[in-house]
Amino acid sequence: MKYIFLGLSLILTVSSCSTDSKDLLEIRYANIKTALESDIPIITLSDSEEMSATNQKNVFKDEKLKAMCFDPATGKPMLNEVLTISKVRPADITPKIEVCKNSECLRLEVYNFALNGTGIFFVKKEDNKLLDYQFYPTMQGDINEELANLATYIAVHDSTVIAQFEGEPAAESVRMSATKTALNRTKCQRSQHLCIAPTFVKGDKALWVIVDLTELRVAGTKWTSVGTTGMAITERAAQNDYVMSCFCDKENSFKDDNWSYKYNLTRSDGLKIYDIAYKGKPTIKSVKLVDWHVSYSKTEGFGYSDAIGCPEFSQSAVVAVEAPYFEPIVEKNDTVGFAMIQKYFSDGWPTPCSYNYQQEFQFYTDGRFRPMMGSIGRGCGNDGTYRPVTRISFFSDDAEFLTAKDNSVDVWQKEGWVLEDDTYHYIDKDYLAQIKLGENTGYMMEANKGQFGATSRGDNAYIYVTVDHGDGGEGESDLPTLAPCCNNNYEQGPEKFINGESLLNKSLVLWYVPQMKNDDTPGQKYCWAESVLENGIYVPKVYPCFSGPMFVPM
Amino acid sequence: MKAIYILILMSFYLGLQSQDCRKFPDFALALGFDVTRSAFSSSEHREMGLLLVELDPKNLRHSARSKTYKDPTWDDAGYLGPITIDRFGNGYVSAKPNVNMLYNPIINQNTIYKIDNASGKMSSWLVLPYSDESNNQNPYGIVGMYYDCNMDYLIVSTVSGSTQSSEVGKIFRVDVRNKTYELICDGVDAMGVITLRRDNKNVLIYGSARTSDVYSVELDSKYQKVGNPKKILTLEGLGSRGDDRARKIRVDGDNLLIDGTTFYYNLTAPTFIQESKYTFDIANNFALLNIR
């Protein structure tokens, strides 16, 4: 399993870009490194006729500006950049800078990449004295020419842009009459980063490329028709539009030599995969994640019951803003399968009380299947327990669910539930249950006791089995929130479908509710995330927790 | 969305004297709440329903709550949203889901609840028509409410039944004296609403729930729509987000005040309230004056 942290993704972006005679990204990284290693972490405006680079830096030697330069907790440098330098205008003059009525003064706009805010500084040109300044959180000034060129460079070298543009809109060609570019203002509402949108015209269409100048990557793209008006193209608009049109409003399918299935993003039950077949044989009817229950032990009844799903027109509290993606599963240098991953974010994650959830479906070439549910923090406290509710239904009119009891393995006769606690009787030490789907077919359900890797410490799960009537009921269609946040017993929602019905000769639904306790103890962090200052900007550092049994073919 | 729906009572809106006829509720007075710095809030931290709060200092959202009161009936309708108050001291509020629908069944989302001036008890007062079709795309109903002092009407906007592909929202006027209602606009998803007299005409101004645009439409003497809505301004590209919706609209002298917030018909609940206050100059073709 691979986790790409933001810091690493920067490196990946660099290495994936083709080099040319003037690699602006290389230059940018070098400038950032130089700035952060100097006593004043600021990138100066290089082509200013009004003020030398030394004078620009000297402005920041004022002790009052330390808070804009260094993180108060760690003392690490925060990245700043002078965006513009201009002469003070009459309208700028306040009593504090009255001297500028008779002396030449300069106005500097300086963006802080870590804090996402802009400082406006007034300096007397003659002696470079700082007269006054104000810092405006969330304000982003006009970008300078260097950043504009950098944004265009990042856009034209991005593989997604090249694919969508059907060719690389090279820096030279963007100025050709047939392929024009313009830099449009845009907003990155979710990341709270400095963004700009180079826009490339091709025929009667325009491709907006939202470039994140804080992380130095493309944050989103969107085609529009030239000459028509519509909603402004922003990070959120581009992300939502892509996820809605490609995954919420559309059924997708996957097929390789071993596995085939369909999938789409639901309005409140996460990514649903269905009609799953292994080597052409239908096995699992559908898998989805109905709710995330998060309770905090220090405050009785405090927590949240979150649905996950589409970013618009949904009942989701934590939404998908990116497409699902695939990764290979590698064991001992061999690729033994693949995983499909879908992430969900709260705005502002990983600030306190925001959430990041993940679904991961692992498909192995030998027929094993593991639906995983993960929390990437951070939540509202260090006393949280996460209980995701997963629903799995199977293809079989004559399914059987078996668990160990003393020295035997018994078929469940009626709907019911069981808790995987310390006294649980496993089958052959490792298996929670056996699911027979017909003659010599079905799954052994391997418990997650922490053997699947560092991101899993065991599930301590509630398991429910109910009848699937096949009429869209029993939760097959999109489910509203099933249960409140904070029940610490079996009442997690699936029990509402248990009414004593016989399970014999029926299709079955399996509900799986693991329990994961978060931890922020240094060295043991789990289901946790925090912001750390790296390379002058805040990036998330994550400590995921994943749950889920392994379904092993019989 | 954890947007603040605080109604600042009475004297806080000095600039609205021409329109502001609202009366401080008798029950709140009897409980000893200060008329000058008390407010209803439907978005207190970890608090379902409504809370009466006394603010110190008086006019800041994040002011300390020097005194609070919650009637046992105030959480009967789950989490609540828009609030307003009439000239008789009665409060009106509607339900709004928070994070999930557990305490806010969709069938209650078009219900107006009344808080009695004398007793302070909240009860279901009027159910506006709502879509009874199963709809997992839109958890919302009433999202805007305004009390028109000239007519003693509640102006109510609802997005009930709207989906991604179908805009079926409505704006009603409700006569608080006889509890009758009439449709003003149909097929419009609106959030913030306000009615005012301008150039000797009645005008309804509303903010779209689907875009950042704000519209105006003329009303006749019975508050029936005359002509088609006209876009008068937009919040698009403004502020730190650039995609705010006009959640609440008010007039202060010559200025139009708009509380803008993020709204995408979902149940996201950002930790930090994503809201900005925009001021526009009415006389100067709604030119933007400032953003706070």
Side-chain angles (χ1 to χ4, degrees), chain A residues 1 360-364 368-372 448 452 456 459 546-551:
Chain A
M1 204 177 308
E360 180 166 335
F361 301 97
Q362 292 188 333
F363 298 88
Y364 290 81
R368 284 178 296 152
F369 170 66
R370 186 178 179 216
M372 297 165 65
N448 168 24
F452 295 125
S456 288
D459 284 358
F546 276 94
S547 59
M550 179 78 83
F551 290 88

Side-chain angles (χ1 to χ4, degrees), chain B residues 99-219:
Chain B
V99 180
N100 58 55
M101 303 286 290
L102 270 176
Y103 307 101
N104 291 81
I106 195 84
I107 57 166
N108 293 344
Q109 302 298 68
N110 250 21
T111 299
I112 300 172
Y113 297 86
K114 181 177 176 180
I115 301 145
D116 185 75
N117 166 58
S119 68
K121 299 291 176 198
M122 186 181 89
S123 58
S124 172
W125 182 67
L126 178 67
V127 181
L128 291 170
Y130 62 91
S131 170
D132 56 0
E133 287 180 23
S134 173
N135 179 351
N136 63 357
Q137 293 191 17
N138 174 13
Y140 293 94
I142 293 171
V143 287
M145 208 183 308
Y146 173 75
Y147 180 69
D148 182 307
C149 289
N150 293 326
M151 304 293 284
D152 291 328
Y153 288 160
L154 285 181
I155 309 298
V156 182
S157 62
T158 171
V159 298
S160 171
S162 279
T163 64
Q164 189 182 344
S165 58
S166 169
E167 184 174 359
V168 299
K170 295 172 175 56
I171 302 174
F172 292 97
R173 66 144 175 87
V174 180
D175 191 327
V176 302
R177 292 164 302 193
N178 56 24
K179 223 161 85 169
T180 57
Y181 62 86
E182 294 283 343
L183 194 60
I184 301 177
C185 293
D186 199 3
V188 170
D189 282 3
M191 289 194 86
V193 285
I194 188 172
T195 47
L196 49 106
R197 291 282 296 172
R198 197 176 170 213
D199 300 332
N200 287 324
K201 290 175 182 168
N202 297 316
V203 175
L204 165 70
I205 295 177
Y206 64 87
S208 170
R210 289 181 175 246
T211 70
S212 300
D213 298 337
V214 175
Y215 293 86
S216 154
V217 64
E218 188 184 332
L219 305 176

